[in-house]
Amino acid sequence: LPSTDVRIMVGGSGYGEAFSVPGSGQIWLDGVDCSSTDPKRLEDCNHNTYGDNDCIHDEDVGVCCGGDRAAPSVAERPEGDDQGVYDLWREIDADGSGTITLDELRAFADNYGGADDAQLQSIIDFGDVDGDGVLSYTEFYFYFTWSFSHAGIPGGDTGCAMTLPGGDDFQAFMWFRAIDIDCSGAISFAEVRSFIDRYHFDDSDGGIQAFLDAGDADGDGELDYREFYLLWTGTQSNAPEANGQSAGGCPWTGDGAPTNPANGDLHLADCLEDCCCRLEVFYDGAWGTICDDSFNDDAGVIACRQMGLPSTDVR
């Protein structure tokens, strides 16, 4: 993944534009010094001992990730995904490339009695959301389960800045994210039409409008997340009365804090109007901020990449 042009938003360090996203509570890291973008995790760069700093929160570093996003790694089964489907994927993806081709599908079918090319091609055609002629893991998972993988949305994750509300159904949440391609926090007729076409479903314009009308409690012609969730599940979402988004219409700010974070995990918080956000790190059971001292572009690239966010363009 190319990783250029990450803008580092800091206060007083002299990198990028002098700007910080002040937080509160624990400041975990100081003196983060990355001499290249080779490290896989930010904590692999040189830094002071966790908790050892001489900073104030006006120096809390922020990053603004943007651009292209690498396909999620599926070297291990994404937590929550069906083990049988994952094992089938690994068996068919014989070369470990992360995509399934017609040749690989044919070789797999031949081991189990065979199938004609027309049948195999129809599998790829139906599951191929992004039109590249092969099946990614998320496309394959959706095709075989009619549900979303925890690795992301087929055809490229929208990256809308939404956090799964505690207690909400993951699949309902992901359906909304997949349809809300403009990250507005509400789905329109045009977005539902586009979704149906991309996923090769068959539904009329009248059916789409009837779906929207059934859930549109406020009569604005769209479904916000709470309206969609109630219509989809028959129960109320735990999202706040706003639209359930953590950063307005910002793209590429991830899905909030990891559910079961480990020491050194990162997330973004308090995103601003330009979609630049405070970078926080988890340690010893708590999230804390990172001081801008020595924090440079390489550190920003590593941080964005570690969180699964793009780092080839700046918004």
Side-chain angles (χ1 to χ4, degrees), residues 108-125:
F108 172 80
D110 286 346
N111 291 332
Y112 295 90
D116 64 54
D117 277 5
Q119 290 176 302
L120 300 176
Q121 188 63 55
S122 69
I123 293 174
I124 290 182
D125 290 345

Side-chain angles (χ1 to χ4, degrees), residues 233-254:
T233 67
T235 60
Q236 293 287 346
S237 165
N238 293 300
E241 287 292 341
N243 56 23
Q245 285 198 261
S246 59
C250 293
W252 306 128
T253 54

Side-chain angles (χ1 to χ4, degrees), residues 1-3 6 36-41 65 70 298-311:
L1 172 67
S3 304
V6 171
S36 73
T37 59
D38 293 338
K40 301 300 183 184
R41 292 170 63 84
C65 305
D298 287 344
V301 168
I302 294 166
C304 292
R305 227 173 32 201
Q306 178 181 333
M307 293 182 288
L309 301 177
S311 53

Side-chain angles (χ1 to χ4, degrees), residues 166-226:
D168 275 15
D169 178 75
F170 173 77
Q171 290 300 327
F173 173 77
M174 291 294 281
W175 278 92
F176 182 85
R177 286 193 63 212
I179 299 172
D180 182 27
I181 57 176
D182 67 358
C183 300
S184 68
I187 59 176
S188 65
F189 178 93
E191 286 176 313
V192 178
R193 178 77 270 167
S194 173
F195 173 84
I196 287 173
D197 292 342
R198 292 197 316 276
Y199 284 72
H200 309 121
F201 295 137
D202 183 17
D203 205 345
S204 66
D205 286 356
I208 295 172
Q209 190 61 59
F211 171 76
L212 293 173
D213 291 344
D216 185 16
D218 59 11
D220 64 356
E222 299 181 328
L223 299 183
D224 65 26
Y225 174 70
R226 287 172 58 85

Side-chain angles (χ1 to χ4, degrees), residues 14 47 56 60 74 93 106 112 142 146 148 157 166-168 187 210 284 290 303:
H47 59 80
I56 60 175
D60 289 342
V74 289
D93 182 26
R106 184 187 302 114
Y112 295 90
F142 189 85
W146 291 93
F148 291 97
D157 201 324
D168 275 15
I187 59 176
D284 196 25
I290 300 172

